Amino acid sequence: MRQSTMLLNTLRDVPADAEAASHQLMLRAGLIKPLASGVYTFLPLGIRALRKLEGIVREEMNRAGAQEMLMPAMQPAELWEQSGRWDVYGPELMRLTDRGGRAFALGPTHEEVITSLLASEVTSYKQLPVTVYQIQTKYRDERRPRFGVLRSREFVMKDGYSFDRDQEGLDRNYQAMYNAYHTILNRCALNFRAVEADSGAIGGTGTHEFMVLADIGEDTIAYCPQCDYAANVEKAEAAGNRAAAQGDAQLNGMTADVRADADSVVNLDMTMVSTPGMKTVEEVSRYLEVAPSQIAKTIACRADGQIVLALVRGDHQLNEIKLKNLLGAEVIELLDEAGVRQELGSVPGFLGPSGLKQTFPLFVDQSLRNAASLVIGANQEDAHYLHARLGRDIAAEEFYDLRMVQPGDGCPRCAEALQFTKGIEVGHVFKLGTKYSEQLNATYVDENGREQLMIMGCYGIGVSRLLAAIIEQHHDERGIAWPVVVAPFHVHLLQLNAKDEQQSAVAEELYTALMKKGVEVLWDDRKERAGVKFNDADLLGMPIRITVGKRAGERVVECTIRKSGETAEVLVDQLENWVQKVIGLGG
Ligand code: ATP
Ligand code: MG
């Protein structure tokens, strides 16, 4: 491709509202262009990279035995009503009405469509298992579209669905997809981790997210440097009591003596103390001179309309998702200050589990199980209780894992200290079980003539998000440094002086010869200064730069590998070999 004819404008300045490096670079390198908030055009250079990425995904899906198809983006509302998601999915679902007044959704995902299709196409056990996939545009009216195509409202997803006769079949298919995802991300030269993820109210027996490690990532991953435990913090289990108790002692800097002292206060009565204006754990801890771990925080939530209370240690954070799953709720939200006053008759900042005008279900975190004596809110302005005891002053019989894991926590598998890192979720594999087959009546007749529900799995990769994630890991201060497999072109051929005939002749010769060998060349034949061309080449980031300059007459050109900066002068006649070696096309 001659650059002079390409629809490509590079930007020197960093666009004002772009925070993520990948977002900045995709705009500056002319890969994408915004049309509306969270809605982007892929420009000619961008689509080349995206298509290559799709190619890798397609190859690995096909290799894993999945069959490609293409489903409509427009989905009738009735299907979503049948699955129960028309109401549950909420404002993220893009809804529209046709001229006849029929309601539709623009698909954010395709469980409904594929399950209803399989329900009518598959009747016998002989037709199972089946795994299908598509690479298609999805629509989600995200609350906060941001970081360019990392979180957009229209994006390209590979979504796959497996249908099996039994759980073992699902397990096999899940493993095949899990392995394929590893291969895809390895081929994209990414540093990533597959982590255990929250499976929500669906329950299900397994789900993993594939996280590309990057500071800009919106997810936090807890992982063990010792064993292979890794989980999204939404899901990460807090270590059991024994490990937690050891952790507590370290965290609070408490010695055994102090613990013994704490034991001696066990028999004291719960006593109200004045804590004027002390609302946060830090304030109460400082004012009363007690460790945050001896304070119990009461958190009021509304779960599917019902008010529940959670109790966690002052130095811990409630994990709302754990509480939501424990309750089997669809939606959970924190009660706001007005709610605490009106519905609980308490005072924000001084909420406690004892002495409320009415009893609400209370769920206590397991790390409080052995607490000797606690400070809790007294449900009135400027007051807390000292020496509150579980079982005596606070109704608590059962304990649950309700908190976020945090630095200092031990691994739930091997007790080594957990580490934390940020990740971009690029893929998600999920054992759905029979959730959708039940609702959409996807059954088959088994060997014994009995009707059975199909067992489903679903498997998503955000292809456009993945492209941005690749740039997050493959760039430097000068621009993108594409891995060969997704680079829009293999070679950026820079002719420094567009008017020099010798340079034109050598560039043209190279351009033709390389392309004949299947090497993709972007030929910068523009009438621009050399400095502009070098800057653009660095920004666009093709793996190899070939510069045709002063020594063109001697048939010598300069070759640079973008990633390493390694440079060599190479004779034109030896160039093909050199290029093939670098980009690994063989031949
Ligand atoms: P997130 O937590 O980031 O919103 P999700 O859990 O909603 O993701 P899934 O429903 O599992 O995502 O979708 C499958 C894949 O689609 C995700 O792993 C991600 O790579 C991609 N994806 C989801 N939402 C977006 C978006 N708004 N923009 C780009 N890609 C997305
Ligand atoms: Mg989402």
Side-chain angles (χ1 to χ4, degrees):
M1 177 99 217
R2 286 170 184 260
Q3 202 169 329
S4 59
T5 64
M6 188 164 201
L7 180 60
L8 169 63
N9 283 312
T10 54
L11 306 176
R12 198 160 312 154
D13 299 321
V14 175
D17 58 345
E19 284 171 76
S22 58
H23 187 195
Q24 295 173 358
L25 289 168
M26 289 181 88
L27 292 169
R28 288 185 54 214
L31 302 173
I32 57 168
K33 179 101 182 170
L35 178 66
S37 164
V39 181
Y40 291 88
T41 296
F42 271 83
L43 293 161
L45 201 63
I47 199 70
R48 289 183 68 101
L50 189 72
R51 290 281 181 257
K52 288 192 175 180
L53 189 52
E54 288 175 5
I56 293 174
V57 172
R58 183 173 281 116
E59 252 176 57
E60 296 306 329
M61 284 299 109
N62 293 346
R63 206 194 304 278
Q67 304 169 44
E68 183 164 8
M69 52 192 281
L70 183 60
M71 290 178 263
M74 238 176 112
Q75 311 183 0
E78 292 87 69
L79 268 182
W80 284 75
E81 276 157 3
Q82 232 178 309
S83 74
R85 287 209 290 186
W86 184 254
D87 296 323
V88 174
Y89 214 92
E92 226 176 75
L93 190 64
M94 291 278 197
R95 296 160 209 251
L96 61 143
T97 313
D98 74 5
R99 64 169 80 195
R102 276 169 47 109
F104 284 84
L106 288 181
T109 176
H110 277 67
E111 282 82 9
E112 281 78 1
V113 177
I114 192 65
T115 312
S116 77
L117 183 90
L118 268 279
S120 70
E121 292 294 311
V122 170
T123 48
S124 157
Y125 71 94
K126 291 179 197 149
Q127 294 166 281
L128 295 176
V130 171
T131 301
V132 291
Y133 76 96
Q134 62 174 347
I135 298 175
Q136 194 245 15
T137 303
K138 296 282 185 276
Y139 300 84
R140 293 185 184 180
D141 197 357
E142 296 278 351
R143 187 202 301 266
R144 264 193 91 192
R146 59 185 192 150
F147 303 148
V149 295
L150 278 177
R151 182 172 299 286
S152 49
R153 297 196 296 167
E154 175 172 328
F155 59 96
V156 179
M157 196 202 286
K158 183 289 294 178
D159 46 329
Y161 307 89
S162 66
F163 295 82
D164 274 280
R165 289 147 66 172
D166 48 33
Q167 188 64 35
E168 292 72 51
L170 169 61
D171 292 346
R172 259 196 309 279
N173 262 321
Y174 184 88
Q175 192 60 44
M177 286 296 135
Y178 183 94
N179 295 345
Y181 278 31
H182 269 270
T183 310
I184 290 167
L185 300 184
N186 279 329
R187 284 182 66 181
C188 295
L190 287 165
N191 181 11
F192 70 97
R193 276 194 102 112
V195 305
E196 291 180 16
D198 169 53
S199 55
I202 300 181
T205 43
T207 166
H208 286 87
E209 288 166 345
F210 286 79
M211 297 284 188
V212 168
L213 305 189
D215 290 338
I216 198 80
E218 293 180 288
D219 287 275
T220 305
I221 302 161
Y223 68 95
C224 176
Q226 190 75 34
C227 67
D228 62 359
Y229 182 76
N232 192 317
V233 284
E234 287 182 349
K235 149 96 183 181
E237 300 158 40
N241 276 325
R242 193 182 53 81
Q246 285 168 356
D248 298 349
Q250 289 159 4
L251 257 182
N252 311 331
M254 281 171 77
T255 62
D257 291 347
V258 180
R259 283 255 164 207
D261 280 353
D263 289 344
S264 68
V265 299
V266 161
N267 295 323
L268 296 179
D269 284 341
M270 185 164 89
T271 322
M272 191 183 291
V273 286
S274 159
T275 48
M278 305 295 151
K279 294 186 172 187
T280 65
V281 168
E282 294 73 48
E283 287 165 350
V284 176
S285 159
R286 219 175 310 120
Y287 188 75
L288 296 179
E289 295 182 346
V290 292
S293 60
Q294 289 177 280
I295 300 171
K297 276 194 291 202
T298 309
I299 298 123
C301 298
R302 198 192 303 274
D304 290 351
Q306 285 257 344
I307 293 181
V308 299
L309 303 178
L311 199 67
V312 300
R313 253 173 41 177
D315 57 335
H316 290 160
Q317 301 302 324
L318 173 68
N319 181 332
E320 287 168 48
I321 292 175
K322 288 183 180 175
L323 181 61
K324 175 173 158 236
N325 291 342
L326 175 67
L327 298 167
E330 290 277 2
V331 204
I332 195 161
E333 54 186 355
L334 292 178
L335 209 61
D336 60 12
E337 296 206 347
V340 170
R341 286 184 200 282
Q342 281 152 26
E343 314 217 25
L344 303 181
S346 181
V347 182
F350 301 94
L351 177 61
S354 276
L356 283 164
K357 60 173 186 182
Q358 184 192 331
T359 311
F360 296 95
L362 175 71
F363 298 89
V364 183
D365 185 69
Q366 62 181 12
S367 59
L368 285 167
R369 191 194 299 267
N370 300 323
S373 163
L374 291 166
V375 174
I376 55 174
N379 294 312
Q380 50 181 278
E381 203 77 53
D382 298 339
H384 281 81
Y385 286 118
L386 293 178
H387 314 311
R389 286 200 66 190
L390 289 162
R392 185 187 70 181
D393 310 308
I394 305 166
E397 278 155 28
E398 289 197 68
F399 297 86
Y400 309 91
D401 176 12
L402 292 177
R403 70 178 180 92
M404 305 289 296
V405 294
Q406 58 190 32
D409 277 339
C411 168
R413 303 276 183 275
C414 77
E416 178 74 22
L418 285 177
Q419 311 239 317
F420 294 80
T421 183
K422 290 276 180 194
I424 300 169
E425 179 201 322
V426 294
H428 194 178
V429 292
F430 202 120
K431 293 184 186 176
L432 285 171
T434 56
K435 177 180 158 75
Y436 293 95
S437 31
E438 254 167 57
Q439 273 144 347
L440 295 155
N441 215 11
T443 60
Y444 67 96
V445 176
D446 71 10
E447 295 93 322
N448 305 315
R450 271 199 302 266
E451 203 171 338
Q452 304 279 5
L453 288 169
M454 298 182 205
I455 316 273
M456 286 177 64
C458 69
Y459 316 97
I461 290 185
V463 185
S464 41
R465 177 183 286 188
L466 181 54
L467 191 67
I470 291 172
I471 296 175
E472 284 296 332
Q473 282 193 0
H474 292 272
H475 75 271
D476 56 24
E477 64 295 339
R478 287 172 293 138
I480 303 171
W482 288 108
V484 173
V485 289
V486 287
F489 293 90
H490 300 128
V491 167
H492 205 162
L493 177 63
L494 266 55
Q495 181 184 341
L496 292 189
N497 182 349
K499 290 187 200 129
D500 183 310
E501 281 177 16
Q502 259 175 348
Q503 288 188 20
S504 294
V506 169
E508 175 105 47
E509 179 190 336
L510 277 175
Y511 181 62
T512 315
L514 288 172
M515 297 234 295
K516 219 185 247 166
K517 293 283 181 184
V519 178
E520 299 163 358
V521 186
L522 177 63
W523 173 9
D524 190 350
D525 59 339
R526 295 174 302 164
K527 294 188 179 66
E528 290 284 357
R529 285 181 294 109
V532 171
K533 295 191 178 198
F534 283 126
N535 284 342
D536 276 354
D538 280 343
L539 174 62
L540 301 189
M542 305 320 157
I544 298 174
R545 187 183 76 204
I546 299 176
T547 310
V548 182
K550 286 210 182 71
R551 298 187 67 188
E554 306 158 56
R555 297 182 63 71
V556 171
V557 295
E558 188 192 74
C559 297
T560 304
I561 296 176
R562 172 66 181 88
K563 187 140 265 174
S564 62
E566 196 184 314
T567 295
E569 297 218 296
V570 181
L571 273 171
V572 168
D573 305 298
Q574 285 162 11
L575 195 71
E576 257 178 49
N577 280 343
W578 191 88
V579 169
Q580 301 277 18
K581 210 160 70 199
V582 175
I583 63 177
L585 284 182

